[in-house]
């Protein structure tokens, strides 16, 4: 059994896999980021602020990942179910369908009925999630279309900046809800 002391190899492997080249400047330089904007908007000072905000968010995420790696390395591996308890096959029905371990196992007909109901529930949940994904994808496509209109000058010039900020914030919200 592994000790609770973090191993150098474990920490190094996770860090090199998850954190190497994880900063924003490794992914996209400021110049590349600026070039993503239309030429007439590239000198807007808000672009630099947006890039710095993205850098800070990325750095916070990397710090969180680093702390999680160190915490998991200190905790060590968790024992699997075979090491913990009785026969895995005998407990499967009980664990999956909510019966307490001290209760007798369900008769076969009841177990099949519960499994069928669970399968139907999963199919229903899958359909709901598919619909939600389609709705979110539609929102993202609308936002991208609106941003495309901005790029090619189809939006009214009077409130373009406010619309862009509003649409980008909405896009960020949609993306955060999906993750």
């Amino acid at each position: 059994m592994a000790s609770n002391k973090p191993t150098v190899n474990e920490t190094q492997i996770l860090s090199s896999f998850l954190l190497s080249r994880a900063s924003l400047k490794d992914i996209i330089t400021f110049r590349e980021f600026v070039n993503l904007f239309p030429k007439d908007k590239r000198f807007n000072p808000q672009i630099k602020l947006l890039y710095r905000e993205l850098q800070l968010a990325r750095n916070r995420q990397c710090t969180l990942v680093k702390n999680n790696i160190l915490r998991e390395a200190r905790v060590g591996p968790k024992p699997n179910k075979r090491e913990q308890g009785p026969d895995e096959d005998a407990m499967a029905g009980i664990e999956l369908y909510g019966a307490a371990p001290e209760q007798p196992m369900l008769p076969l007909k009841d177990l099949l009925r519960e499994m069928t109901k669970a399968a139907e529930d999963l199919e229903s949940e899958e359909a709901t999630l598919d619909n939600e994904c389609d709705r979110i994808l539609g929102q993202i496509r609308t936002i991208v279309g609106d941003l495309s209109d901005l790029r090619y000058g189809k939006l009214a010039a009077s409130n373009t900046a406010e619309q862009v900020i509003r649409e980008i914030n909405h896009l960020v919200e949609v993306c955060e809800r999906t993750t």
Side-chain angles (χ1 to χ4, degrees), residues 77-85 88:
K78 295 171 182 67
N80 65 27
K81 289 183 182 184
R82 288 186 189 176
E83 294 171 358
Q84 288 180 345
E88 187 175 325

Side-chain angles (χ1 to χ4, degrees), residues 117-131:
K117 182 180 178 290
E120 290 169 353
D121 290 346
L122 285 172
E123 288 171 359
S124 172
E125 186 177 347
E126 178 186 15
T128 302
L129 290 173
D130 281 343
N131 290 338

Side-chain angles (χ1 to χ4, degrees), residues 23-65:
S23 70
L24 186 63
K25 68 180 177 183
D26 291 331
I27 297 168
I28 185 169
T29 65
F30 178 68
R31 180 62 26 218
E32 292 169 333
F33 182 74
V34 168
N35 288 336
L36 294 174
F37 290 89
K39 287 184 180 183
D40 61 328
K41 306 291 185 204
R42 291 183 182 167
F43 296 102
N44 188 326
Q46 295 295 319
I47 294 175
K48 191 171 191 175
L49 292 174
L50 179 60
Y51 187 77
R52 284 186 182 160
E53 184 63 32
L54 291 173
Q55 275 183 317
L56 289 173
R58 186 68 181 179
N59 289 342
R60 282 191 299 267
Q61 190 68 30
C62 289
T63 301
L64 179 66
V65 169

